[in-house]
Each structure stands twice: as structure tokens, then as C-alpha cells.
Amino acid sequence: MAKTIVITGAGRRMGKQLAEHFLAQGWQVIAHYNTRSELESHPQLTQLQADLSDPDAIAQLSQQLQSLGPIHAFIHNASCFQPDAAAEDSVEHFQRHFNVHVLAPSELTGSLTWAEGAAMVNISDIYADIPNQRFAVYCASKAALQNWSLSMAQRWAGKVRVNVIQPGPIQFLPEHDEAYRQKVLSQSLIKQELGYQSVIDSADFLISNPSLTGTVMRVDGGRFVTNRYEQTFSNH
Ligand SMILES: NC(=O)c1ccc[n+]([C@@H]2O[C@H](COP(=O)([O-])OP(=O)(O)OC[C@H]3O[C@@H](n4cnc5c(N)ncnc54)[C@H](OP(=O)(O)O)[C@@H]3O)[C@@H](O)[C@H]2O)c1
């Protein structure tokens, strides 16, 4: 019988590629999407819509997932990436980020029926560990997702393995201009956009390796350990 995986934010970009990857591997894929899905229909694919910034929509999706039988893997990929300036740190801005990044995975997985040997992978960001004053709320909520994941690794020990992937520059957004791209890439050791496959391979590894739980895996081209002294003092 095919294994079942739930992937959030699977309508476009990396989530879509993750869904297509697991379909190609013979998995039953339950793909959540928010505004629209670019996934083509497939006999092993179920698509469910929900705005994960809305607690009522999260609760409704949670109920739908509970009726779908044992889950072998869950990837929380959905993400809200908005600068603070747009909202001036408003309550709604905080709630949106924390709902999408922390409340949603907590509510969606809290009453799931897990299959034996199940695994959860949560997609964080290198900015969970590196401050960024323009995206302080985004960073804080990704850090919260990361810390919550490690607590769940403890709580669900022996039942569900929980690991985190911290991507670096995987795929720039269309609005990122050339100057921004070059600046980010200059601050990594592998000075290139890493591509979705780098995270797909890492997710595969974390889901299939029974030894791994409570791990935070950096898939950042070495950005975390790039020489920070040079970044700060090279012009002095
Ligand atoms: N791309 C990178 O270089 C990079 C770097 C660091 C970390 N990451 C992380 O890697 C993951 C995938 O990256 P990505 O660039 O593919 O992400 P993305 O396009 O920014 O977002 C992923 C998905 O989240 C969904 N989403 C946004 N708001 C939502 C909401 N309110 N409710 C439910 N879903 C919502 C989006 O759907 P809609 O468009 O329909 O709203 C989108 O399909 C994300 O977790 C991201 O934070 C990526």
C-alpha cells in the first residue's frame, strides 16, 4: 500500500516540486494550497485549500486530514514572508506569521493518525538563527517553528520523528533584483542559488533515515559559516 504524505503550501514553487517528487516516488500525496494550485491532477493526489493565517480554516483542514487515514510523513512548507514595514509590527502582522508558521503545524498534526515510523519535516529558514531587522516578525516566527519542532521531537519520541530544514538561498522570489541576488550569494560559500532539489533531497533523507530526530539541517550553501569578520570589516 502506498505511503501517505501531507505537504502544506504545495500549490506552487517548492511545495509543488515536493508534491511532484513524492508522487513520482509512488506516495499518496495530500497537497494543501492557499490561493491557487499549479499541480496537475493525479490519481494519487488530493488537494485541499486553506488560508493558514485563519484559525478557523486551520481547524477545518485539521478535521479533513483526520478523516484521511494514517499519515507516514508531513512536511510543513507553507510560509508567509512579509516585511515589517508594510504593517509596522501590527498585531495582525504577528498573528498572520505565527499562525502560518507555528499554529498551523501544531493544530494540523496534533490529532492526526500517524502511521508507524512516521516523520515530520518543518521548513524553517537560516533567518531563524540570523536576525534580519526588515523581517523581524518573519524571523521570530520561523525561530518559533524551529523550537516547537524540537519540542515535538521530544514529545512524540518513539511515535513521530521531527526534523527541521533551514534553507538558505534556494530560489529567489521574482521581486528580488539582481543587486539583491548578488549580495545574498556573495554571503555564502557555494555562491549560487541552490535550487529546490537541494531541499527535496534533504527532506527525502530526513524522512527515510530512522536515526534522525531533533535535527536542524542547514541547506544554505554555507551561508551560516561564511566569514562574518570579512562581511563586517572588509572595508576597514
Ligand atoms: N525560496 C528560498 O530561497 C527560501 C529561503 C529560505 C527559506 N525558504 C522556505 O522554504 C519554503 C518554500 O520556499 P518558497 O520560496 O517556495 O516559499 P513561498 O513561495 O514564499 O511560500 C510557500 C507557500 O506558502 C503558501 N502560503 C503563503 N501564505 C499562506 C497562508 N496564509 N496560508 C497557507 N499557505 C500560505 C503560498 O501559497 P500562496 O502563494 O497561494 O499564498 C506558497 O505556495 C518556505 O517555508 C520558505 O520560508 C525558502
Side-chain angles (χ1 to χ4, degrees):
M1 205 181 82
K3 290 183 174 179
T4 302
I5 185 166
V6 178
I7 305 169
T8 64
R12 303 186 302 117
R13 291 172 56 84
M14 192 165 83
K16 172 176 177 273
Q17 306 256 335
L18 279 162
E20 288 170 345
H21 167 78
F22 284 96
L23 284 170
Q25 302 295 313
W27 288 64
Q28 189 80 36
V29 174
I30 300 167
H32 152 269
Y33 68 97
N34 180 29
T35 54
R36 69 175 201 278
S37 174
E38 295 169 0
L39 279 165
E40 286 181 14
S41 61
H42 185 287
Q44 306 239 120
L45 173 67
T46 303
Q47 300 203 60
L48 300 171
Q49 189 280 331
D51 176 354
L52 300 181
S53 67
D54 174 2
D56 292 338
I58 295 174
Q60 199 179 351
L61 179 61
S62 175
Q63 284 201 333
Q64 290 173 297
L65 294 180
Q66 283 170 44
S67 66
L68 290 172
I71 303 298
H72 298 79
F74 191 110
I75 299 179
H76 186 54
N77 165 77
S79 176
C80 175
F81 183 59
Q82 291 167 353
D84 297 339
E88 290 302 337
D89 297 3
S90 71
V91 172
E92 206 237 325
H93 181 61
F94 269 86
Q95 284 173 340
R96 191 178 321 118
H97 282 82
F98 277 82
N99 286 352
V100 173
H101 294 150
V102 199
L103 183 68
S106 172
E107 293 292 303
L108 296 180
T109 57
S111 43
L112 271 188
T113 305
W114 293 103
E116 197 171 330
M120 180 174 191
V121 175
N122 293 319
I123 312 291
S124 152
D125 193 305
I126 48 162
Y127 287 119
D129 288 337
I130 305 173
N132 183 326
Q133 59 177 315
R134 281 190 61 226
F135 290 90
V137 174
Y138 169 81
C139 295
S141 60
K142 284 286 193 178
L145 167 64
Q146 199 166 290
N147 195 280
W148 174 82
S149 304
L150 302 186
S151 293
M152 291 308 106
Q154 291 179 333
R155 186 178 293 171
W156 294 341
K159 184 176 154 197
V160 186
R161 293 181 296 104
V162 185
N163 293 292
V164 175
I165 294 174
Q166 259 195 8
I170 300 298
Q171 187 85 29
F172 289 111
L173 291 164
E175 58 265 33
H176 290 148
D177 64 22
E178 192 53 30
Y180 176 86
R181 290 169 191 233
Q182 289 312 321
K183 185 169 182 198
V184 169
L185 293 179
S186 74
Q187 295 170 354
S188 84
L189 300 178
I190 299 172
K191 296 184 185 304
Q192 58 189 26
E193 212 174 16
L194 301 169
Y196 296 132
Q197 195 62 40
S198 63
V199 172
I200 293 169
D201 290 345
S202 306
D204 252 350
F205 179 66
L206 292 173
I207 288 170
S208 62
N209 189 325
S211 308
L212 298 179
T213 193
T215 298
V216 179
M217 181 187 278
R218 288 192 191 107
V219 183
D220 69 346
R223 192 164 181 214
F224 190 80
V225 296
T226 303
N227 194 324
R228 287 170 194 284
Y229 180 86
E230 276 181 15
Q231 283 178 32
T232 314
F233 295 107
S234 57
N235 294 330
H236 293 265

